[in-house]
Structures are given as C-alpha cells and as structure tokens.
Amino acid sequence: MKTIFVSGTAGSGKSLLSSKLYDYYTKNGAFTAVLNLDPGVENLPYSCDVDVRDFVDIVSIMQQYDLGPNGALVMAADLIASKIDDIQNEVNRVNPDYLIVDTPGQIELFAYRSSGRFLIDNISSEEKTSVFLFDGALITTPVNFVSIALLATSIRLRLNLPTINVLTKTDLIGANLKNILQWSSSLSTLESAIANDADGDTYTLTTNILRGLNLSGFAQGLIPISNVTGDGFVNLEGALSRILNLGEEVED
C-alpha cells in the first residue's frame, strides 16, 4: 500500500483534490481508498472508505465535556490518535493499493499536535508522501506567497515526509498565475516583487524569511493544477509516481 497525505490551509481544496486523485488511480486500474481524518466535516465530495467520524463524534464531545466547536475539534484530534488500531484495522480490511488521506481543514490540528505525527508514523504503508496545497487565492501578493511558503516548510518539517508543493485554483487567479510561478522558481524575481510590495519592517522580515527558505531548498517551483478543469494533473501524478513508485507510472 502507498499512502498520500493531502494537507494545506482551510479551503485550499484538499477534499476535492483527494476525490480527483481517487478518480485518477481508480480509472487507471489501481484499487484506491480514501481515509477522512477531519472529524468536523459535514459534506465530502467522495465516499469514505475509512472515516474517523465513525470513531469520534464531535457533537458527543461538545455535550460530554461542555466544549465549543473549536475545543471539541482539539480534543477530537487527540482522541483520533487513540483509535489508531481501529483505523488501521479498517484500512487493512479495505487493503487498497493507494490510500489517500484527507487531513483536517484546520491544518494546525493535524500538523502541530503530536497526535498528527503519531498517525503518520503508525499507519502501515510501503511508501508515504505528502501533497501540500498552496491556495492560489491566498498568494496573489509576494508577501502572502512567502508566508504560505513558510507554513509549507514548517508543515514539511512536522510531518517528516517527502512533500510535493501544489498550486491550486489556477482557473480562478487569471494573470496572477504567471507571477506566482515566477516567484516560486526565481529568488531574484520574488525579491524584486517584495521590494515593490512592502517596505520597512515587513520588507526586512519577508526577505529574511525568504532567504532562509531558499537555503533550506524550498525554491523548487510549484505544480499548478485546477481541480475543476484537470489542468496540471499529469505533472502532479508524475511527481507522485517518482516518490511512490520509483518513477513507474500507474498503467491503464
């Protein structure tokens, strides 16, 4: 079994991408399953093969512990880790070739609490990788781009997985797409854009962060995709194949 963790900021398109990846691998003859790790989600664009909502109920947690929605989500994130044996048993029962893991909408609940890393480490799999989604609607300015790049690097550090960075919503951002792709592949271009967009402490802080990210190997470009049109999925699937299958494509 090969496992793909889909992560990113709230609203970046994680669930929809999980659905599209499921469709791709299934269409190409691979037995694929989706694990939903968001205990608070109400509607999903796919049918869950394994669902944490079967093991952890947000409403019950709120009532039992007199918590609001946010507090219940925090408690649920830790309770999910205690259900790892049940989750693994369900995954084993399904026994897919590819397991796509749709992580919670609130990325901090998964990435920064010890329970998230525990789940990653304890889901049995031959190979694991992470896809981090850069929400195209959030990074149309160079300062915002660097901010999300810092978050992506932090998430990669926390998850300790080979990571593919993906730019979503390319069908919605119009002319900004060209700028974003240039920022992601050229340090000098991004520094010039920051100089035109920010001044004072913001400029100093942003450029210092940027140079640190560049030294850590971030400046490698993004894979632009659209969940709506399907543009860019060939490149994403090729990147996944290089990590999960040593470059061998899934056959039709």
Side-chain angles (χ1 to χ4, degrees):
M1 184 180 77
K2 316 292 177 66
T3 304
I4 303 166
F5 292 87
V6 181
S7 62
T9 53
S12 58
K14 295 185 291 296
S15 294
L16 188 53
L17 178 61
S18 296
S19 175
K20 297 297 184 181
L21 287 173
Y22 172 87
D23 291 342
Y24 166 77
Y25 283 115
T26 300
K27 179 181 177 181
N28 286 280
F31 181 34
T32 310
V34 183
L35 163 58
N36 168 48
L37 279 183
D38 191 339
V41 68
E42 294 185 2
N43 299 301
L44 290 168
Y46 54 79
S47 297
C48 297
D49 298 280
V50 185
D51 194 340
V52 296
R53 294 175 297 180
D54 294 335
F55 307 106
V56 177
D57 181 68
I58 288 292
V59 174
S60 296
I61 292 173
M62 292 173 62
Q63 293 173 346
Q64 182 176 352
Y65 297 98
D66 194 24
L67 295 171
N70 291 333
L73 284 171
V74 171
M75 176 168 281
D78 294 334
L79 288 175
I80 290 169
S82 72
K83 302 292 185 179
I84 184 61
D85 289 339
D86 295 327
I87 293 171
Q88 184 66 62
N89 287 338
E90 282 296 296
V91 171
N92 292 342
R93 180 185 61 78
V94 178
N95 193 28
D97 299 318
Y98 290 88
L99 178 67
I100 300 166
V101 182
D102 187 8
T103 64
Q106 298 85 346
I107 186 61
E108 68 275 10
L109 291 178
F110 180 69
Y112 294 116
R113 299 187 68 79
S114 57
S115 54
R117 180 65 178 272
F118 178 83
L119 285 166
I120 287 176
D121 291 341
N122 286 276
I123 291 178
S124 298
S125 183
E126 298 171 48
E127 300 289 344
K128 301 174 185 177
T129 191
S130 171
V131 176
F132 183 88
L133 277 55
F134 281 64
D135 188 336
L138 296 181
I139 57 172
T140 55
T141 70
V143 172
N144 283 0
F145 176 86
V146 173
S147 298
I148 299 299
L150 177 60
L151 175 63
T153 304
S154 175
I155 299 299
R156 182 173 184 173
L157 176 65
R158 286 289 303 156
L159 302 187
N160 194 31
L161 291 172
T163 300
I164 300 167
N165 291 315
V166 169
L167 172 64
T168 62
K169 304 180 183 177
T170 57
D171 53 300
L172 299 179
I173 57 180
N176 288 311
L177 175 59
K178 180 180 179 180
N179 290 333
I180 292 170
L181 294 178
Q182 288 179 336
W183 298 339
S184 71
S185 59
S186 172
L187 179 63
S188 59
T189 300
L190 181 51
E191 285 188 331
S192 297
I194 293 169
N196 292 329
D197 189 57
D199 53 23
D201 291 342
T202 300
Y203 171 79
T204 300
L205 177 59
T206 305
T207 53
N208 284 339
I209 291 172
L210 172 62
R211 288 163 184 163
L213 293 176
N214 185 60
L215 290 174
S216 69
F218 169 76
Q220 54 186 315
L222 295 171
I223 298 176
I225 68 166
S226 168
N227 284 325
V228 175
T229 67
D231 290 346
F233 267 80
V234 171
N235 293 330
L236 172 57
E237 292 146 6
L240 286 167
S241 180
R242 285 190 290 275
I243 294 173
L244 297 174
N245 303 313
L246 300 178
E248 296 182 6
E249 297 291 343
V250 177
E251 296 181 357
D252 289 303

